[in-house]
Amino acid sequence: MPRVMRNREIFFRQLFLVIVDVITAVAASSIALWIRFDFSIANVNRVYLHNIWITMAINGLGVVSIYWVFHLYRSVWRYASVYELQRIVLAGISATLLQAGGFLIAELRMPRSYWFLYAGLLIAFTTGVRFSYRLLRQVRKRFEDRKEGQKLSRVMIIGAGSAAEVLIREMMLSQYLHKRICCIVDDNPDLKGKSIRGYQIIGGRENIIPAAKQYAIDEIIIAMPSVSKKTIAEITKICNETGCEMKIVPGMYQFVNKDLKVSKLRHVDIEDLLGREPVKVDLGKITGFLKNQTVLVTGGGGSIGSELCRQIAAAEPKQLVIVDIYENNAYEIQQELLRKYPKLNLVVLIASVRNTNRMNSIFETYLPNVVFHAAAHKHVPLMEVSPNEAIKNNVFGTLKTVQAAHRYGVEKFVLISTDKAVNPTNIMGASKRICEMIVQAYSRKSETDFVAVRFGNVLGSNGSVIPLFKQQIKEGGPVTVTHPDIIRYFMTIPEAVSLVLEAGAFAHGGEIFVLDMGEPVKIVDLAKNLIRLSGFIPNEDIMIEYTGLRPGEKLYEERLMAEEGLEKTENDRISIAKPIEMDDEKFFESLDEMKDAVYEETGEVREMVKRIVPTYKREKRK
């Protein structure tokens, strides 16, 4: 709507309310006298009628002026609430006191009870006029929905707190939301049978499934922003059985900041089913060791590397240098950071960590204070059939980056490792274990604090099972799971990266930090939940097929080797594994031998890895 037309519409609405308020003031005066004299005009003292008549215009003007002062012509009455009601009451009392003061000054007499009756009627009439707008909108909305044949989505709300009340109010008032609230569920037994804005609370979570059938629910909204992740997971698993579309209030931030709207609801995702409380980190420590520092991230375009870059950028570094071999990923994170942090001193370089001269040149040019080494080949089955490439990139790429860091005086070097490095059954895990050994060996001879951070699977990362499952569901199945008993530890990418950064703050050199990933999750349960979240029934609409363990794949991952012990840090989600004794000179001699073998493309790499990592046990599968 053009601005001029919009302003004209607002003017006429306000003019209409002014006229109605003047009529209301006159009506309140007349009816107050009528009530005072036993509902009989004949009994009214003619002096009182005369006084009302001669002050009628002034009274109307006074009421309009008072209402203007109390912003009763500026409120959006479709959203009128208790706050607006309070202002109406105060405005009505103020208008009554103003009129009474005027009568007193002009020495005009009125019965004392008149003023109480007048104030009550004025407030009642004004409230009725203002709030009738809401009622008319609701009636019109329902009529238009029926007239247009608009199908209303039948909604169940879980949670009977303030968040639910806000959502219900918006759904009742908005002309753009075609939703019909059918019931409310809350575990508080004291609330059963009560209602919010006329919608009944039918009981606790045990009623979710039967109520979904009884009311033919299409959509379930979980409106409990303050409850624990465990409770959300429990509720979500029950709702998942209904086959209804599920949405959830994002969190307390939106509620506290009055940004909670139906449009802000998000779909329930797999993270909600994990039941883990979000990881808490000491942001002060993270910011403290990164602020005003030059930070370099290898593999900065990958899933872990790019999130590292996001969180580092927020810590206000002096300069952020991103190194990646894959130009598309590097370009995407570059553009994202430039949009979000226009003042960030950002350098994005295309380079391979396997190129000694290139890495030395980058370190000599930018002289980073802190390095996060995330560049690696991580895909287990692919590395099993290309073991030489895994060793070239993971082991010798790490070695060359470590050597450059040592040569150019980097203060802290953090290697991103994996729980697959523990008692590895695949070449990828074994290569990362060798990377940990490189870091520990250099920590004993360098001024640089070399450390490694070891963690498990992250949701949504490149090569993660979640994107694969989603794609398989999108294609109609089947969803493939390697084994019915396979389990994994999961953490979100931002959580894992936050812990990596905090571990970097703890680093003194030589540590292998082990992240607590929470409780393990069965992959088949993950697959079933994703199928249900997509609106399908597992093994009916979308089939689950077991394909057998892939080359190098374990049923479960471990956090520690037998000889490692754990030492706690300030953050109970981060522990330190006890360093393993080794002969550094012999270790580097073995690396030199292995380097010649992998670059000559011999088939001896697995045996050589086994000699360096005795815990490596390759599992041969048919």
Side-chain angles (χ1 to χ4, degrees), residues 280-294:
K280 295 180 181 179
V281 298
D282 188 335
L283 294 176
K285 284 186 179 294
I286 293 174
T287 304
F289 95 98
L290 294 176
K291 190 171 184 177
N292 298 322
Q293 301 290 302
T294 297

Side-chain angles (χ1 to χ4, degrees), residues 476-544:
V479 171
T480 56
V481 178
T482 57
H483 194 282
D485 297 324
I486 193 169
I487 63 171
R488 289 292 182 267
Y489 294 89
F490 284 98
M491 183 177 283
T492 65
I493 294 176
E495 285 178 319
V497 167
S498 295
L499 288 176
V500 167
L501 293 176
E502 189 168 1
F506 291 146
H508 296 295
E511 301 100 333
I512 294 179
F513 291 97
V514 181
L515 304 189
D516 179 1
M517 303 291 288
E519 294 298 317
V521 177
K522 289 188 73 171
I523 299 299
V524 67
D525 291 341
L526 203 62
K528 289 177 181 177
N529 285 328
L530 269 175
I531 291 170
R532 292 192 186 102
L533 285 177
S534 303
F536 301 107
I537 301 174
N539 291 320
E540 290 187 21
D541 303 320
I542 302 286
M543 301 303 294
I544 296 175

Side-chain angles (χ1 to χ4, degrees), residues 253-478:
Y253 175 83
Q254 284 80 4
F255 182 65
V256 171
N257 288 278
K258 299 181 180 178
D259 193 30
L260 179 56
K261 298 178 180 177
V262 173
S263 60
K264 297 288 184 179
L265 297 175
R266 63 171 176 80
H267 283 89
V268 172
D269 210 341
I270 197 67
E271 289 92 336
D272 299 303
L273 293 165
L274 294 182
R276 255 194 323 96
E277 292 301 319
V279 169
K280 295 180 181 179
V281 298
D282 188 335
L283 294 176
K285 284 186 179 294
I286 293 174
T287 304
F289 95 98
L290 294 176
K291 190 171 184 177
N292 298 322
Q293 301 290 302
T294 297
V295 184
L296 185 146
V297 180
T298 69
S303 50
I304 298 297
S306 61
E307 181 61 26
L308 273 167
C309 293
R310 292 182 191 98
Q311 296 194 27
I312 292 167
E316 300 178 0
K318 177 182 176 183
Q319 186 177 53
L320 174 58
V321 182
I322 298 176
V323 176
D324 202 292
I325 189 62
Y326 186 39
E327 61 183 281
N328 291 349
N329 283 352
Y331 176 77
E332 287 179 9
I333 189 62
Q334 177 192 49
Q335 296 305 306
E336 178 186 335
L337 293 179
L338 289 176
R339 287 193 303 271
K340 193 171 182 180
Y341 303 99
K343 295 182 180 180
L344 175 66
N345 183 354
L346 178 65
V347 177
V348 179
L349 304 171
I350 302 302
S352 170
V353 293
R354 292 158 60 167
N355 187 326
T356 304
N357 292 335
R358 177 67 166 144
M359 294 310 294
N360 284 337
S361 173
I362 290 171
F363 275 76
E364 183 180 17
T365 302
Y366 297 100
L367 296 174
N369 306 101
V370 182
V371 173
F372 292 93
H373 181 52
H377 287 327
K378 305 181 183 74
H379 200 282
V380 170
L382 290 181
M383 293 306 100
E384 284 301 289
V385 295
S386 301
N388 287 345
E389 293 305 308
I391 298 301
K392 289 176 190 176
N393 196 70
N394 293 1
V395 173
F396 294 108
T398 296
L399 179 60
K400 292 173 182 182
T401 309
V402 163
Q403 289 171 337
H406 168 64
R407 182 178 294 111
Y408 293 101
V410 169
E411 296 169 19
K412 290 191 178 186
F413 183 103
V414 181
L415 166 72
I416 307 301
S417 189
T418 171
D419 56 6
K420 293 177 175 61
V422 181
N423 299 323
T425 57
N426 53 70
I427 201 70
M428 193 283 284
S431 70
K432 296 299 280 187
R433 176 58 191 147
I434 297 174
C435 294
E436 293 180 351
M437 295 167 74
I438 291 171
V439 162
Q440 288 192 317
Y442 261 85
S443 73
R444 289 188 278 269
K445 68 175 187 177
S446 177
E447 294 296 318
T448 300
D449 293 334
F450 285 101
V451 300
V453 181
R454 184 189 292 165
F455 56 89
N457 299 273
V458 286
L459 291 168
S461 66
N462 294 336
S464 166
V465 71
I466 305 298
L468 173 63
F469 285 171
K470 288 183 176 179
Q471 183 62 32
Q472 289 175 334
I473 292 168
K474 183 178 179 181
E475 293 172 356

Side-chain angles (χ1 to χ4, degrees), residues 45 115 150-152 199 264 277 317 400 492 496 506 619:
N45 189 317
W115 301 111
Q150 178 71 46
K151 184 182 183 301
L152 298 179
Y199 297 104
K264 297 288 184 179
E277 292 301 319
K400 292 173 182 182
T492 65
F506 291 146
E619 295 186 11

